[in-house]
Amino acid sequence: MWGGRFSDKPAELMQAINVSIGFDRRLAAQDLAGSKAHAAMLQKTGVITSDDARAILDGLETIGAELAAGTFPFREEFEDIHMNVEARLRELIGPAAGRLHTARSRNDQVALDFRMWVREACARTGEQVRALQRALLAKAEANAATIMPGFTHLQPAQPVTFGHHLMAYVEMFGRDASRFADAGARMNESPLGAAALAGSSFPIDRHMTAEALGFARPTANSLDSVADRDFALESLAAAAICAIHLSRLAEEIVIWMTPQFGFIRLTDAFTTGSSIMPQKKNPDAAELIRAKAGRLLGSFTQLAVVMKGLPLTYSKDMQEDKVPVFEAFDALELSLRAMAGMIADMQPIVENMAKAAGAGFSTATDLADWLVRELGLPFREAHHITGAAVKRAEQLGVDLPGLPLGDLQALEPRIGAGVYDVLTPQASVASRTSYGGTAPDQVRAQIQRWKERLP
C-alpha cells in the first residue's frame, strides 16, 4: 500500500515488530463503519463518482459478511486491519477500491476506529456496572435491617446493617458508571477527515461523517485529532478506579468467607476446592477479581508511559495503545459479570453477623452520645468517661451491656438504668437516622432512590 517509495520489502524482523493485525483485527467492525461513512460522503461531495461509491459500498458489505462468517482472509503481509480491508476490497471490486482512501489517512482512520471501539466499550461497561448495582440493591433490600459490625482499621467500630454496607458499593459503582458516561461524552467527536495531520484539500464534509457515525461533532483541530489518545487514557483511568472498587469488595468477600468471620456463604457455583484438603471451599472468583485490578492499573500506566513524551502528531509508538485497552476492558467486563453473580449468590449468616456486631465495645459511641444527650456533658468529657467504662469492662471480661450499673455510676453518678437501652447493636443501628445513616428506614430510602435512578 505504501511501496512506491521503497524498492525492497521490510526485513523479517521489521515485519514482526511492525505488524498489528494480530490485535487490531478487533477494530474490523469500526473500520467498516468508518469506511462506509467516508465513501458515502465522498460521493455526496462529488469527490468520487456514484458508480465507484456503489462498488465500494457493495464490496464493504461483502467484507462485512465475510467477517461475520469467519471467512475473511486476515493476512500479516498487509500489516493492520486498515490495509487488510483495503486489500480485500481491491480483490473484490478492482481499481475503484483505491478511491476509498481519498482525503483520508491511516492516522485519522485508526484514531476514528479506536475511538469508536472505546466509546462502545464504555457504554457496554457502564451497563455492566449498572447490572452489578442492581444485584447489590436486591441483596441490600433483603438485608436492610440485618445487623453486622462496621469497621475502621478493620477493628469493630459501630454496628451497621448489611444492607447499608452493600449500599456503600452501590454509591461507588454509581460514580464508576458516571465516569464511563462522562468519558463517552467527552470522546464523542469524530477525527475522520483530519487526514494525516493537516486536514484535506478535498471538499469533504466532516459534519456528515460525524453524524453518520453517531458523533456529536467533528474534532476541531486536525493535529490534535490524530495525536489524541486522551479518550483511551481517561477510559482506562475510569476502568482502573472501577477495578479498585471491585477489588475492595472482593477482599471483603474473602474475609467474610473465612471461618474466623463466617459472615457469608457462597455456593459451589462461585467457589472451588482443594486438590489435597477436602474441607476447603475457596472464594477463588473473588480472589481473581482482586488480582485483576493490578492488570487494569498496569494498563493505564502502560499507555500513559507510551504517550508521555510524544511530540505532535502521530508516532508509531501509538500502535501500542490498543493492547492495554483491549486487555483492560476484557478483564473488567469479566470481573463485573463475576461479581454480579457472586453478589446474587451470596447469603449472609445472620446470627454470626449479629454476634460480631455486639463485640469489641461497638456501642461505645452510643454511650458517649447518651451522656451528652441525657446528662448534658461536653462530648470530650463523655468520651473520656466512656473510655474508662470500656477499660473497666475489659477488666471484668464483659462487653458494655454487661457492665454493672454500679461500675458506670462510679464513673458518673447520674448514669441511670436507662443507659442500657442504647447499648445494644439493634438500638445503636436504629438511632442512626441522619440522612445517609445506617438506620433501616434510611437504608430503604436510599435503596428506593437508586431504584428510581437506575435505568
Side-chain angles (χ1 to χ4, degrees):
M1 296 294 179
W2 38 267
R5 173 67 174 82
F6 292 77
S7 302
D8 296 320
K9 291 182 178 181
E12 185 176 339
L13 280 174
M14 178 61 195
Q15 180 70 1
I17 196 172
N18 193 48
V19 68
S20 61
I21 190 61
F23 54 83
D24 68 16
R25 65 174 62 193
R26 293 181 66 160
L27 301 176
Q30 292 77 20
D31 200 71
L32 287 181
S35 292
K36 289 175 183 178
H38 188 64
M41 180 275 295
L42 292 177
Q43 185 271 321
K44 186 174 181 180
T45 56
V47 176
I48 64 175
T49 67
S50 296
D51 288 344
D52 282 342
R54 189 177 305 110
I56 289 168
L57 292 170
D58 287 346
L60 292 173
E61 285 293 331
T62 299
I63 290 172
E66 291 177 343
L67 287 164
T71 60
F72 181 83
F74 291 105
R75 287 171 284 187
E76 286 195 356
E77 65 188 279
F78 294 122
E79 186 180 324
D80 58 27
I81 185 60
H82 322 298
M83 286 188 168
N84 266 265
V85 169
E86 188 173 340
R88 180 60 178 152
L89 185 64
R90 189 173 64 248
E91 292 172 351
L92 291 170
I93 70 171
R99 301 191 185 281
L100 175 59
H101 211 54
T102 307
R104 184 176 73 170
S105 163
R106 278 193 297 172
N107 291 357
D108 63 336
Q109 192 177 357
V110 69
L112 171 72
D113 294 356
F114 193 30
R115 189 178 289 238
M116 290 175 65
W117 191 97
V118 175
R119 182 179 62 175
E120 293 165 15
C122 284
R124 186 172 61 246
T125 303
E127 178 49 44
Q128 290 170 348
V129 171
R130 289 187 287 273
L132 173 55
Q133 287 182 286
R134 287 189 283 269
L136 286 162
L137 279 174
K139 194 65 66 174
E141 187 169 29
N143 292 278
T146 300
I147 305 294
M148 71 172 291
F151 298 92
T152 63
H153 309 277
L154 204 55
Q155 300 295 314
Q158 292 176 307
V160 297
T161 72
F162 190 42
H164 191 55
H165 194 109
L166 295 176
M167 288 301 296
Y169 285 100
V170 173
E171 295 289 337
M172 288 187 202
F173 292 120
R175 294 192 294 273
D176 291 324
S178 70
R179 272 185 281 269
F180 286 118
D182 288 347
R186 220 174 339 271
M187 74 178 72
N188 202 28
E189 297 180 343
S190 171
L192 185 59
L197 75 161
S200 175
S201 60
F202 290 94
I204 60 174
D205 186 345
R206 294 189 63 210
H207 289 85
M208 177 182 172
T209 51
E211 183 178 357
L213 295 168
F215 288 98
R217 65 193 69 85
T219 51
N221 183 283
S222 61
L223 297 171
D224 182 55
S225 300
V226 299
D228 170 45
R229 292 299 183 270
D230 285 3
F231 63 90
L233 281 167
E234 186 174 2
S235 301
L236 283 178
I241 295 170
C242 184
I244 290 169
H245 293 157
L246 285 167
S247 182
R248 295 181 73 178
L249 180 52
E251 170 73 1
E252 299 216 85
I253 290 172
V254 171
I255 291 172
W256 292 342
M257 276 280 289
T258 63
Q260 291 78 10
F261 272 72
F263 284 3
I264 63 167
R265 293 186 183 93
L266 290 173
T267 71
D268 295 353
F270 286 94
T271 55
T272 64
S274 165
S275 63
I276 189 172
M277 295 170 285
Q279 83 280 10
K280 294 296 292 297
K281 198 169 191 181
N282 301 321
D284 281 6
E287 292 172 7
L288 289 166
I289 289 170
R290 185 175 58 185
K292 288 184 187 297
R295 181 181 299 187
L296 278 102
L297 289 164
S299 292
F300 174 81
T301 301
Q302 182 179 344
L303 183 54
V305 171
V306 167
M307 297 302 300
K308 72 172 182 63
L310 297 186
L312 295 180
T313 54
Y314 182 83
S315 297
K316 194 69 170 182
D317 310 50
M318 292 163 70
Q319 181 170 288
E320 295 296 314
D321 57 1
K322 297 166 198 66
V323 171
V325 173
F326 293 158
E327 289 183 347
F329 276 97
D330 286 349
L332 181 59
E333 292 177 38
L334 178 59
S335 296
L336 285 165
R337 293 195 301 271
M339 183 59 80
M342 266 195 301
I343 294 300
D345 184 74
M346 179 175 65
Q347 291 301 320
I349 304 174
V350 176
E351 59 274 18
N352 289 355
M353 285 187 171
K355 183 178 178 181
F361 311 104
S362 64
T363 57
T365 304
D366 298 278
L367 173 56
D369 288 347
W370 186 90
L371 293 169
V372 171
R373 188 170 56 248
E374 299 298 325
L375 304 184
L377 296 179
F379 182 79
R380 282 301 166 204
E381 184 178 346
H383 186 285
H384 179 80
I385 292 170
T386 300
V390 168
K391 183 176 181 180
R392 179 59 178 158
E394 280 185 323
Q395 291 170 345
L396 296 177
V398 299
D399 215 324
L400 284 177
L403 188 61
L405 181 60
D407 288 271
L408 287 170
Q409 290 175 336
L411 300 170
E412 167 51 64
R414 292 178 293 166
I415 295 176
V419 73
Y420 292 103
D421 293 339
V422 303
L423 296 184
T424 66
Q426 291 77 11
S428 176
V429 164
S431 72
R432 308 295 171 181
T433 56
S434 58
Y435 181 83
T438 193
D441 287 346
Q442 278 295 320
V443 175
R444 293 186 184 102
Q446 295 303 324
I447 290 169
Q448 184 58 37
R449 178 177 71 89
W450 272 103
K451 280 185 173 182
E452 294 169 0
R453 286 181 61 182
L454 283 174

